[in-house]
Amino acid sequence: MSTTLKSRLGIVESITGPADRIRPMTALELEWKQRTYDKLLQVLDLSLMGSVEDEQARSQIREIGLRLLVEAAAPLSLGQRQFIVRRIEDEVMGHGPLEPLLADPTISDILVNGADQVYVERRGKLERTEVRFNDDQHLLNIIDRIVSAVGRRIDESSPMVDARLADGSRVNAIIPPLALNGPVVSIRRFAVELLGVEDLLKIGTLTQPVADVLRGVVAARLNVLISGGTGAGKTTLLNILSGFIPKDERIVTIEDSAELQLQQPHVVRLETRPPNIEGRGEITQRDLVRNSLRMRPDRIVIGEVRGAEALDMLQAMNTGHDGSLTTVHANTARDALSRVENMVSMTGLPFPIKALRAQIASAIQVVVQVERSEDGKRRVTSVQEINGMEGDIITMSEIFSFRRTGIDEQGQVQGALVPTGVVPAFHKRLTVRGFNILTTAFRP
């Protein structure tokens, strides 16, 4: 399209912002979008789109789309034409109606419950959006585009799938007949901007004394287990604690879906592989943990233990690979140890309970509990040290605890993360390694 025509129509390169793009389309806009989309596919060589830069391809789609609307004398305002063209651009180059949500940095989760219901999470709170799909088939097409990009498929014979977007966001999709109200998509956004300790201090996730203790714990090569519920911030905290590992150490990370963003220069990243269409070729976390032991790691960081790999993780922690970090789903620090115990039992090996608990108590030194409260904020609620065994019971000492005092008028949880008065046994280990944390940090 010529510059003169652009100027006469008042067209700018950046048309419609995210707020405009998420409103539902009117019947007239929907009709003209479909007409223009069909004509665009006839005049545009989509096979060449992959050979040009993304922005160049988008610009070409915008120009052709606007030209087609002008030539057809569509009874639409300039704003409506720009809105339609942007939706066509998202349809051809991106993920359709999801594209403006994926472009919004304030959104941490996108939850699609069928074609007519899309929720997002902002600042820990769920809210419904005005985003809509044309119908279930439209949503299925977008799901198929997402999963096919990573070599996966989804259909009636394989109605569930886990995939990953190009930016690292995790996607889970489940379709009919398993999903009764239409296709369901859950997208856990990938954090582009790395949070640091200062950010957690600012938002109240932890306090300076706790941050200092955790920095010393990681640098002094104590094994740390981070536990919490879904969306509590386990991976975020794991990422930050991993940043305390010295830069001269070799780190091997093992994840189901690569999310960790370690900044050290010597990092080896491993990711599991699901089975192929024939059900073969699966590589589990347990396979990767076993293999990592042959890779001469100084540290092993496991994104989350959720199965039989827990046994191999404990054995690694007990055989010289100290300073390892991992996360687990659990509601309390005590429950986290029970979860590890249950996961070891998944191996099918007959372990005496006392011997298994002794191995857990020997392998893990610190458990950090994180929680997302009803006000949407994520907080460290407990830091506990594992002391050892008393009979058949693993003994633990709570070092820091979140003392809740109530809820204010705005619905914000009130309370503070305070020391309990217990000086941990690992304090001496931190001191001899150069981390002079005063015992006053543990006074209530």
Side-chain angles (χ1 to χ4, degrees), residues 141-152:
N141 292 340
I142 298 300
I143 295 173
D144 190 58
R145 180 179 301 175
I146 292 172
V147 301
S148 60
V150 291
R152 307 291 303 282

Side-chain angles (χ1 to χ4, degrees), residues 113-418:
N113 307 329
D116 298 323
Q117 199 176 79
V118 180
Y119 285 85
V120 298
E121 181 189 285
R122 283 191 177 93
R123 293 173 287 278
K125 291 285 189 178
L126 285 177
E127 56 186 71
R128 188 167 179 173
T129 71
E130 294 187 335
V131 171
R132 301 287 184 277
F133 291 83
N134 298 343
D135 49 35
D136 283 351
Q137 187 56 50
H138 183 204
L139 176 53
L140 280 170
N141 292 340
I142 298 300
I143 295 173
D144 190 58
R145 180 179 301 175
I146 292 172
V147 301
S148 60
V150 291
R152 307 291 303 282
R153 72 166 188 174
I154 187 165
D155 51 36
E156 285 192 7
S157 63
S158 179
M160 296 186 297
V161 71
D162 280 307
R164 197 175 67 207
L165 297 178
D167 66 354
S169 298
R170 287 187 296 177
V171 181
N172 175 271
I174 181 168
I175 65 172
L178 301 187
L180 302 181
N181 297 326
V184 176
V185 183
S186 307
I187 301 177
R188 172 65 58 86
R189 297 294 307 284
F190 182 77
V192 177
E193 294 184 9
L194 290 175
L195 290 177
V197 180
E198 296 76 15
D199 298 303
L200 297 192
L201 292 172
K202 191 180 299 181
I203 62 180
T205 297
L206 42 73
T207 61
Q208 189 64 58
V210 175
D212 293 339
V213 169
L214 292 179
R215 185 188 298 273
V217 160
V218 174
R221 301 185 68 88
L222 297 176
N223 294 319
V224 180
L225 178 66
I226 301 170
S227 71
T230 300
K234 300 187 297 298
T235 302
T236 299
L237 184 60
L238 179 63
N239 221 3
I240 290 171
L241 294 188
S242 300
F244 298 149
I245 298 174
K247 296 186 182 299
D248 60 350
E249 295 189 13
R250 175 177 169 86
I251 307 168
V252 177
T253 68
I254 299 166
E255 300 173 86
D256 266 339
S257 181
E259 290 182 283
L260 294 174
Q261 303 174 68
L262 275 63
Q263 302 303 301
Q264 288 87 342
H266 199 165
V267 178
V268 178
R269 304 175 71 203
L270 305 179
E271 186 180 48
T272 61
R273 186 176 71 184
N276 60 18
I277 295 174
E278 290 79 26
R280 300 176 181 174
E282 180 181 18
I283 303 296
T284 65
Q285 280 203 143
R286 189 175 191 191
D287 298 327
L288 295 179
V289 172
R290 286 174 170 177
N291 189 77
S292 70
L293 301 179
R294 306 183 185 100
M295 299 173 68
R296 198 264 176 214
D298 288 313
R299 308 268 187 150
I300 299 174
V301 180
I302 304 175
E304 180 186 339
V305 285
R306 59 181 71 189
E309 68 273 6
L311 174 60
D312 301 278
M313 177 196 73
L314 293 176
Q315 289 178 335
M317 289 177 171
N318 275 320
T319 54
H321 297 90
D322 48 354
S324 297
L325 306 168
T326 188
T327 73
V328 67
H329 275 274
N331 293 326
T332 66
R334 173 66 64 181
D335 287 348
L337 301 186
S338 298
R339 282 270 294 146
V340 172
E341 191 178 312
N342 290 336
M343 287 186 286
V344 171
S345 67
M346 294 180 185
T347 61
L349 299 176
F351 262 99
I353 290 296
K354 186 173 182 178
L356 174 56
R357 289 177 180 172
Q359 189 167 15
I360 293 173
S362 174
I364 302 170
Q365 282 91 41
V366 179
V367 181
V368 182
Q369 182 70 30
V370 291
E371 180 182 299
R372 181 172 62 173
S373 306
E374 58 265 38
D375 60 2
K377 290 186 178 178
R378 297 164 171 86
R379 297 177 174 90
V380 171
T381 57
S382 179
V383 178
Q384 300 199 29
E385 178 186 36
I386 296 180
N387 304 117
M389 295 281 292
E390 281 188 8
D392 291 346
I393 305 299
I394 299 174
T395 58
M396 306 175 73
S397 299
E398 189 164 38
I399 306 164
F400 295 96
S401 176
F402 183 78
R403 302 290 168 83
R404 182 167 171 159
T405 57
I407 298 179
D408 65 14
E409 295 177 353
Q410 287 74 41
Q412 301 296 307
V413 173
Q414 300 296 295
L417 182 61
V418 296

Side-chain angles (χ1 to χ4, degrees), residues 1-9 11 63 67:
M1 182 181 292
S2 68
T3 306
T4 307
L5 180 56
K6 285 184 183 180
S7 177
R8 184 160 56 86
L9 293 174
I11 297 167
E63 290 186 13
R67 188 182 69 214

